[in-house]
Amino acid sequence: MVSNAARKYEEEQVPVTPIDQPQPGVQPVRWSRFERLLMVVGSAVTLLLIIALLSIKISINTRQHNLQDLQSKVAQVKNNNASDRQEIADLTSQGNLKKIAQKYGLSDKNSNVRNVNK
């Protein structure tokens, strides 16, 4: 009796078709005009967005370099200003003024001098 059950099971099995082989009578569905138009428009928009993104990135990098150049120029001018202020402070010091006055034969009288500060 066991052998009869096995035979019935084998008979009831449906033959399996391989997945890789196309089934006869089934053809791929063609794209409609709307679908093709949608793909073309979507591809064009994507391409334009990529180009816009790249151009914006390039312009941002260029402006960043310009900003760095300006910042270095500002730092250089600040250093020059500090150097000039130091030189002015040295030249207007009391000791330097006395030394220049002695060089040209001038005398310094503290009673006649007034200090004016801003």
Side-chain angles (χ1 to χ4, degrees), residues 31-49:
W31 288 16
S32 68
R33 284 187 175 194
F34 177 72
E35 290 172 333
R36 281 187 257 162
L37 178 67
L38 197 60
M39 288 300 291
V40 168
V41 169
S43 299
V45 167
T46 304
L47 182 64
L48 289 175
L49 288 174

Side-chain angles (χ1 to χ4, degrees), residues 67-114:
L67 176 63
Q68 288 176 351
D69 291 342
L70 286 175
Q71 285 175 340
S72 66
K73 287 178 184 178
V74 166
Q76 184 180 7
V77 168
K78 283 184 179 180
N79 289 339
N80 289 343
N81 286 347
S83 175
D84 290 344
R85 283 190 190 108
Q86 181 66 36
E87 186 177 349
I88 289 170
D90 290 342
L91 291 175
T92 58
S93 67
Q94 192 69 21
N96 191 35
L97 290 176
K98 286 184 181 179
K99 185 168 68 171
I100 292 174
Q102 287 176 356
K103 180 179 176 184
Y104 292 106
L106 302 172
S107 63
D108 183 21
K109 292 189 178 179
N110 285 333
S111 62
N112 295 340
V113 175
R114 275 195 188 182

